[in-house]
Amino acid sequence: MRLWKKLLLAFIINVFWLTSVLAASVDHFNITLSPSSAKTWEALDLTIEAVDKNSVTVNDYNWVVLIFSESDPEAELPIVLEENTYTFKAADQWKIVFENAVKFFKEWKQNIHVYDFNDDNIFWIWEATITKDQSSEKLNIEILSPENWLTVWNNKIKVSWVTEKNHQVKIVVNNKNEIDSISNNEWVFEKEITNLLNWENTIIAKVLNSNWWIVWESKEIKIKIENTKINLISVKVNPEEVDSEWQFDIEVTTEPNLVEVSSVLNDVISKLTETSPWKYTAKLFAPKEEWVYKIDIILKNELWIEQKELWAASIKVKKVNLDSAEPVTEEVKDNKKSLKITWLKLVELKTKSILTWDKLEEAKSYNIYKKLENWNLEFVVNVTEPKFEVEIVWEEIKYEYFAVKALAETEEWEVYEWDLSEATKIQTGPELLILLIISIFATWLYLITKQKKA
């Protein structure tokens, strides 16, 4: 192609591009206040649209505008403004409407100015006629609590506002539910709002004059409800009636993925094990005294929010009738007092397992033995209190059997011991989840080290 043809083509392209740009450039803003006339306490809609010199919407221009009122510097403007500026987004479709966002507090003709933030030659001004409401009073109303965008965990909340004393107040919830209240002599009113919706709720308070006309209203407050109530489906005990100090099963059915489920029986807290999704079980021991005992259930979810279900179940304890049974005799060795271990109880915590039993007044101390794999006994420790704690070590999941033997002294200071208690299975290693976390960390550390060496 000849040189002059190339130059001509480039000139035509540049002229076309320049014409397009000029056609799409912003000349001014179309703005409106609706309604065009209002009273000093009424809210108006503000609409802003960027247009070219032919008043055609410019739909490919990102811009920032400055918004203010020259006639009423105290005018209330849209709360989304940041230092009186707003940045338009594609989602606005190059036309933004701020609903119920502008209030003027002075009467007569009031104006709104809108300027392009980077070019003060691009602007527009709009006016509205504001008249004073002859029935209105200067009755400001201001929120004290809750804070805007507060998150609460149940469907009720107490609202507190400050306004003129002894005036009627109307609370509007979610733009439809109205609740009446009254301010006290200290200019404060409080009201508990119930039955809030899950997720987002809006609250506005309006103060009324003696003629029951609304003369002022607060800014809208938004709160978020995250209802974290844990769903307890059922609690079963089997059997429902047991002998004194006898063992029974408890099964709790609830929503899955809880971090902890525990039972409370006669002030003893026992942790339940998740045997399958939704089901948590444990073997408990009945109290010694005859009675119908209530069982409370404690639930903790992944947010570690605790919920306690009082008297979720009960267990009936009856005493063993020895008169109707065959005579029970216990061999007493050489006229020495019986030191039989009774009421063995096990509580498993995160870092240790605790074995307890009934205290024997005649016992001087207690020997703890561990059963080995060949079922021989290995002495572990001598304790003076009826309690034995086993620290859970960080190696592997492990359960071992332990037994207790009581020791006492005769009147001649002779030490004697009694028979072993039943062997009790105790967890001495960490839970599977902890081991999994350690395993993942160890694998990650190995891979990082290997990569560095490579």
Side-chain angles (χ1 to χ4, degrees):
M1 183 181 290
R2 296 178 179 272
L3 178 61
W4 66 271
K5 289 184 177 181
K6 293 181 179 181
L7 293 174
L8 179 60
L9 180 61
F11 175 76
I12 293 172
I13 293 173
N14 287 329
V15 170
F16 178 80
W17 175 81
L18 182 61
T19 303
S20 300
V21 171
L22 291 175
S25 61
V26 176
D27 179 74
H28 63 279
F29 301 111
N30 281 343
I31 64 174
T32 56
L33 286 170
S34 178
S36 58
S37 62
K39 298 185 184 300
T40 49
W41 57 271
E42 290 181 327
L44 294 81
D45 295 344
L46 172 62
T47 303
I48 306 175
E49 180 182 15
V51 297
D52 61 15
K53 60 183 179 181
N54 298 318
S55 291
V56 177
T57 302
V58 177
N59 56 13
D60 60 352
Y61 182 64
N62 295 326
W63 37 288
V64 180
V65 293
L66 178 67
I67 304 172
F68 63 93
S69 173
E70 188 178 67
S71 60
D72 187 358
E74 301 299 322
E76 185 175 301
L77 299 177
I79 60 174
V80 297
L81 301 185
E82 295 183 4
E83 297 183 354
N84 285 69
T85 64
Y86 180 77
T87 303
F88 276 72
K89 312 173 186 62
D92 296 328
Q93 297 295 306
W94 300 277
K95 180 179 181 180
I96 184 68
V97 178
F98 301 101
E99 295 183 351
N100 300 319
V102 177
K103 289 183 182 179
F104 293 103
F105 304 127
K106 295 181 179 179
E107 56 183 322
W108 208 244
K109 289 190 178 294
Q110 306 298 342
N111 58 46
I112 288 291
H113 291 238
V114 178
Y115 279 80
D116 184 289
F117 192 76
N118 297 314
D119 188 350
D120 57 11
N121 292 316
I122 303 173
F123 69 96
W124 205 253
I125 302 172
W126 192 262
E127 290 184 341
T129 302
I130 307 299
T131 58
K132 185 175 181 180
D133 182 5
Q134 299 301 321
S135 63
S136 67
E137 307 171 34
K138 187 66 175 180
L139 299 176
N140 193 21
I141 186 167
E142 182 181 353
I143 183 175
L144 293 179
S145 68
E147 297 178 357
N148 198 23
W149 286 116
L150 177 71
T151 298
V152 294
W153 306 107
N154 51 45
N155 295 84
K156 64 180 180 180
I157 193 171
K158 181 177 287 186
V159 293
S160 175
W161 314 76
V162 60
T163 185
E164 299 292 326
K165 63 180 180 180
N166 300 326
H167 274 74
Q168 295 291 328
V169 175
K170 186 180 294 292
I171 306 170
V172 182
V173 181
N174 296 325
N175 298 319
K176 57 180 181 180
N177 298 329
E178 295 187 353
I179 304 169
D180 293 327
S181 183
I182 189 168
S183 58
N184 58 25
N185 289 329
E186 297 178 353
W187 299 30
V188 175
F189 80 89
E190 291 184 340
K191 191 74 173 181
E192 184 175 72
I193 301 176
T194 60
N195 299 321
L196 292 171
L197 302 175
N198 289 336
W199 203 236
E200 292 181 5
N201 294 263
T202 60
I203 302 174
I204 297 177
K206 302 179 180 181
V207 62
L208 287 67
N209 64 10
S210 57
N211 295 321
W212 291 82
W213 293 335
I214 297 174
V215 294
W216 209 268
E217 66 180 48
S218 70
K219 291 184 178 180
E220 182 181 78
I221 298 298
K222 292 185 178 180
I223 61 174
K224 186 166 67 172
I225 306 296
E226 291 190 359
N227 192 337
T228 56
K229 181 174 175 60
I230 305 171
N231 185 23
L232 176 63
I233 298 174
S234 67
V235 180
K236 298 178 182 178
V237 293
N238 184 34
E240 297 180 350
E241 182 176 339
V242 295
D243 293 334
S244 174
E245 300 185 321
W246 204 255
Q247 194 177 60
F248 66 95
D249 296 321
I250 183 169
E251 178 185 278
V252 174
T253 305
T254 181
E255 62 186 48
N257 302 322
L258 299 184
V259 297
E260 189 173 297
V261 176
S262 303
S263 66
V264 183
L265 171 59
N266 200 27
D267 296 329
V268 176
I269 299 177
S270 302
K271 182 179 175 182
L272 278 65
T273 303
E274 186 176 10
T275 53
S276 64
W278 305 74
K279 293 189 184 299
Y280 300 81
T281 61
K283 290 186 178 295
L284 306 180
F285 285 91
K288 181 183 297 185
E289 300 298 327
E290 182 179 15
W291 191 250
V292 177
Y293 293 86
K294 66 183 181 69
I295 301 176
D296 301 333
I297 301 297
I298 302 175
L299 310 170
K300 290 183 182 178
N301 62 15
E302 292 175 319
L303 298 175
W304 285 99
I305 296 175
E306 183 177 291
Q307 177 177 312
K308 193 170 185 178
E309 299 287 341
L310 300 178
W311 211 318
S314 61
I315 184 73
K316 184 177 182 180
V317 179
K318 61 180 181 178
K319 284 189 175 181
V320 178
N321 189 356
L322 297 179
D323 295 335
S324 62
E326 295 183 5
V328 177
T329 59
E330 184 176 82
E331 180 185 359
V332 179
K333 303 177 182 179
D334 302 326
N335 295 322
K336 296 172 181 148
K337 293 182 179 180
S338 172
L339 299 177
K340 183 179 179 180
I341 300 294
T342 59
W343 191 225
L344 275 168
K345 299 183 292 292
L346 176 65
V347 177
E348 292 183 352
L349 305 177
K350 287 287 183 183
T351 58
K352 60 184 176 182
S353 298
I354 304 174
L355 182 67
T356 60
W357 55 92
D358 278 352
K359 184 176 182 180
L360 298 174
E361 298 298 333
E362 297 82 6
K364 180 180 180 181
S365 63
Y366 308 90
N367 281 347
I368 310 298
Y369 297 89
K370 180 171 69 174
K371 284 195 174 184
L372 305 178
E373 292 182 0
N374 58 7
W375 289 95
N376 290 331
L377 293 177
E378 178 182 76
F379 173 75
V380 178
V381 68
N382 178 263
V383 296
T384 57
E385 295 296 326
K387 181 173 70 172
F388 172 57
E389 296 185 3
V390 182
E391 299 294 330
I392 295 179
V393 296
W394 299 85
E395 294 178 356
E396 60 180 0
I397 297 178
K398 192 175 181 181
Y399 289 88
E400 296 177 291
Y401 286 86
F402 292 83
V404 183
K405 179 182 289 188
L407 286 74
E409 291 180 347
T410 64
E411 295 179 357
E412 292 77 22
W413 302 97
E414 175 190 0
V415 176
Y416 69 95
E417 58 186 35
W418 209 255
D419 295 332
L420 279 170
S421 69
E422 293 182 359
T424 301
K425 184 179 179 181
I426 299 179
Q427 180 184 354
T428 58
E431 296 180 355
L432 182 59
L433 177 60
I434 299 175
L435 287 178
L436 180 60
I437 294 173
I438 295 174
S439 176
I440 293 173
F441 176 76
T443 304
W444 173 81
L445 187 62
Y446 169 76
L447 293 175
I448 292 296
T449 305
K450 186 176 180 181
Q451 186 177 11
K452 287 183 178 181
K453 289 181 178 180

